[in-house]
Amino acid sequence: MPRLVKCGLIQTSMACASSEPLAVIREANVAKTVGFVEQAAAAGVQILCMQEIFTGPYFCAEQNPRWFDAVERIPDGPTTQLMQELARRHRMVIVVPLYEEDTTGVYYNTAAVIDADGRYLGKYRKNHIPHCAPGFWEKFYFRPGNLGYPVFDTAYSRIGVYICYDRHFPEGARALGLAGAEIVFNPSATVAGLSEYLWKLEQPAHAVANAYFVGAINRVGTEAPWNIGEFYGQSYFCDPRGQFLAVGSRDRSELVTAELDLERIREVRNVWAFYRDRRPDSYGALIAP
């Protein structure tokens, strides 16, 4: 029998100029996203995820201590608490990507996971931190994650989170599959250019190799004053065969939805027995420094 779960992804452009006070930036972007949360609720979405650090611009395009004040606590910060209220009201699981303050001066690129009854289930901290041109200076802002690759038992599915640059590393994607993830969400901020062709290649490959669903989210538009490139949207869901179920536009703020049949995971794993045929005893070189 089908096990159907309706899922949603929110991709947006910036709601205001990055020169505005940080409190104004957060308020404007959260308000814009909440509008799509309400749209998702009306559409019957059960699991929802928004883009990487959705409360502001992709400020990693510069190295400026100003943005250290954009952090907030998880789960005690205002955005997580607001999303807990929305999750409870709409019986919706919500994945909330934020710039997290652990202690003063120790900050992470993080996603909080909230269950459909509003309970905070835990968080994933981005493990792989880039520092490269044309403007991905993330090591200035984020410490590498230290929570491993958790999988969260939600009301509707077992879900994992991988954040943006993580997607270039198959090891964590495998760890999520081995831990029982049925859906992996990858909130991102990626621009047109060198790696755009990988956007629809790598993550469907993870879905196939691990026989789970993937929801990939990218923001849209260009962000001044940095203008490092076009955030090209095209958020999507793909299934355990790597087939696209829904793809967003390149340039519009919108909600992307798809109905996922989780029974497909069993079907695919019974055909392609990748987990049965793994040879972890032969993979020692993978963890060599």
Side-chain angles (χ1 to χ4, degrees):
M1 294 292 292
R3 292 176 55 212
L4 301 178
V5 178
K6 190 166 187 179
C7 296
L9 312 172
I10 298 174
Q11 62 174 43
T12 65
S13 59
M14 269 288 287
C16 65
S18 61
S19 58
E20 293 285 351
L22 296 183
V24 172
I25 292 172
R26 176 186 288 137
E27 182 178 349
N29 283 284
V30 169
K32 184 172 185 175
T33 297
V34 166
F36 285 106
V37 174
E38 298 296 339
Q39 182 180 331
V45 168
Q46 296 165 290
I47 307 177
L48 182 68
C49 184
M50 51 279 294
Q51 65 207 25
E52 182 181 21
I53 319 175
F54 81 97
T55 56
Y58 182 71
F59 50 77
C60 305
E62 67 176 353
Q63 298 181 75
N64 187 338
R66 174 197 184 208
W67 298 104
F68 294 153
D69 289 332
V71 295
E72 51 185 289
R73 294 280 187 164
I74 297 174
D76 301 325
T79 304
T80 305
Q81 294 189 341
L82 170 62
M83 293 299 164
Q84 287 182 270
E85 294 175 13
L86 292 170
R88 186 180 306 112
R89 182 187 312 161
H90 298 307
R91 296 295 303 168
M92 184 188 297
V93 173
I94 306 180
V95 180
V96 189
L98 296 168
Y99 188 17
E100 180 200 7
E101 177 179 11
D102 185 18
T103 61
T104 302
V106 179
Y107 309 134
Y108 295 93
N109 189 334
T110 301
V113 179
I114 300 166
D115 209 352
D117 60 1
R119 286 183 302 125
Y120 166 72
L121 295 181
K123 58 195 171 189
Y124 169 73
R125 288 171 170 164
K126 184 175 181 176
N127 277 294
H128 305 94
I129 309 298
H131 203 73
C132 55
F136 298 93
W137 311 121
E138 295 196 10
K139 284 184 167 67
F140 185 80
Y141 295 101
F142 310 128
R143 186 173 180 173
N146 56 2
L147 300 177
Y149 301 96
V151 169
F152 303 93
D153 282 303
T154 76
Y156 307 116
S157 177
R158 288 175 57 82
I159 68 173
V161 185
Y162 223 29
I163 298 178
C164 198
Y165 189 66
D166 282 331
R167 70 181 180 272
H168 300 306
F169 299 86
E171 295 85 356
R174 173 68 86 192
L176 290 167
L178 290 172
E182 296 173 307
I183 310 168
V184 172
F185 291 92
N186 182 257
S188 300
T190 186
V191 296
L194 180 63
S195 67
E196 182 176 353
Y197 79 101
L198 295 176
W199 178 246
K200 292 182 180 178
L201 176 65
E202 288 176 310
Q203 297 184 96
H206 294 328
V208 170
N210 297 289
Y212 51 48
F213 290 87
V214 169
I217 312 96
N218 187 25
R219 60 180 62 209
V220 297
T222 57
E223 296 181 352
W226 312 291
N227 299 316
I228 63 170
E230 174 199 10
F231 294 101
Y232 52 82
Q234 299 179 84
S235 303
Y236 64 81
F237 285 103
C238 64
D239 72 8
R241 292 189 180 275
Q243 297 171 325
F244 293 96
L245 304 177
V247 182
S249 67
R250 187 182 187 93
D251 57 1
R252 294 194 310 273
S253 297
E254 63 184 341
L255 170 71
V256 178
T257 67
E259 198 167 65
L260 313 185
D261 180 1
L262 301 183
E263 190 58 30
R264 292 277 290 169
I265 296 171
R266 180 181 181 85
E267 174 190 321
V268 170
R269 290 186 182 181
N270 282 344
V271 173
W272 295 104
F274 296 147
Y275 285 91
R276 182 197 67 194
D277 298 336
R278 290 177 64 247
R279 288 291 310 281
D281 57 294
S282 69
Y283 301 153
L286 295 180
I287 58 171

